[in-house]
């Protein structure tokens, strides 16, 4: 994901989403580009890229607005406890866009937040799985 401030976004994603492990860092002088690949304990990876002079075409109000433009609109991550994840991200400086609600898939729930630069993130809590023993 292209970001305006690599250091600030890196710190936010480490704090808000637990992407603490740094897998890779890279820098070019021309064009001026810096990248970092972060990973969570569960294996989620995110690459943040900062390029000098980059700009955003437009900000999205919500996921339906983002769907009106081709290309990247949001990214999604699976969470175990949607309410806790939503609250933690907002407490860490994220912006709540759509609060947790039931999804179409029975038992699943979802919500949307924005990171400090306005990138949309969908939080998805899959349905609880029940383990049955053979009879």
């Amino acid at each position: 994901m292209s970001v305006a401030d690599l250091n600030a976004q890196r710190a936010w994603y480490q704090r808000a989403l637990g992407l603490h492990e740094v897998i890779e860092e890279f820098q070019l002088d021309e064009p001026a580009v810096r990248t970092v690949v972060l990973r969570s304990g569960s294996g989620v990876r995110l690459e943040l890229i900062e390029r000098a002079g980059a700009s955003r075409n437009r900000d999205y109000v919500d996921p339906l607005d983002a769907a009106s433009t081709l290309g990247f609109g949001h990214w999604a991550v699976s969470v175990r406890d949607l309410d806790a994840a939503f609250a933690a991200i907002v407490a860490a400086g994220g912006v709540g866009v759509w609060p947790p609600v039931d999804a179409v898939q029975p038992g699943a729930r979802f919500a949307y937040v924005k990171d400090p630069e306005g990138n949309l993130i969908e939080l998805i809590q899959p349905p609880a799985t029940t383990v049955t023993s053979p009879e």
Side-chain angles (χ1 to χ4, degrees), residues 53-123:
S55 64
R56 181 182 305 278
N57 288 335
R58 65 186 276 261
D59 286 324
Y60 303 121
V61 175
D62 59 36
L64 296 177
D65 183 35
S68 70
T69 301
L70 297 177
F72 169 80
H74 76 275
W75 68 284
V77 63
S78 179
V79 298
R80 288 187 185 98
D81 182 337
L82 181 63
D83 295 308
F86 185 86
I89 289 169
V90 170
V95 176
V97 175
W98 285 3
V101 296
D102 292 338
V104 173
Q105 181 182 13
R109 300 176 68 224
F110 72 99
Y112 282 87
V113 295
K114 285 185 178 182
D115 72 15
E117 289 190 4
N119 297 301
L120 279 168
I121 306 166
E122 181 179 11
L123 306 173

Side-chain angles (χ1 to χ4, degrees), residues 5-26:
D5 184 333
L6 183 66
N7 295 336
Q9 288 292 85
R10 173 184 177 160
W12 188 83
Y13 276 99
Q14 288 176 319
R15 184 176 65 253
L17 291 182
L19 299 168
H20 298 291
E21 186 178 354
V22 176
I23 300 299
E24 174 184 303
E25 291 184 83
F26 180 74

Side-chain angles (χ1 to χ4, degrees), residues 1-10 24-37 47-52 117:
M1 177 170 43
S2 181
V3 299
D5 184 333
L6 183 66
N7 295 336
Q9 288 292 85
R10 173 184 177 160
E24 174 184 303
E25 291 184 83
F26 180 74
Q27 183 170 337
L28 285 174
D29 291 329
E30 191 55 43
V33 173
R34 297 186 312 141
T35 71
V36 65
V37 178
E47 181 177 18
L48 301 174
I49 305 164
E50 175 191 83
R51 180 174 176 165
E117 289 190 4

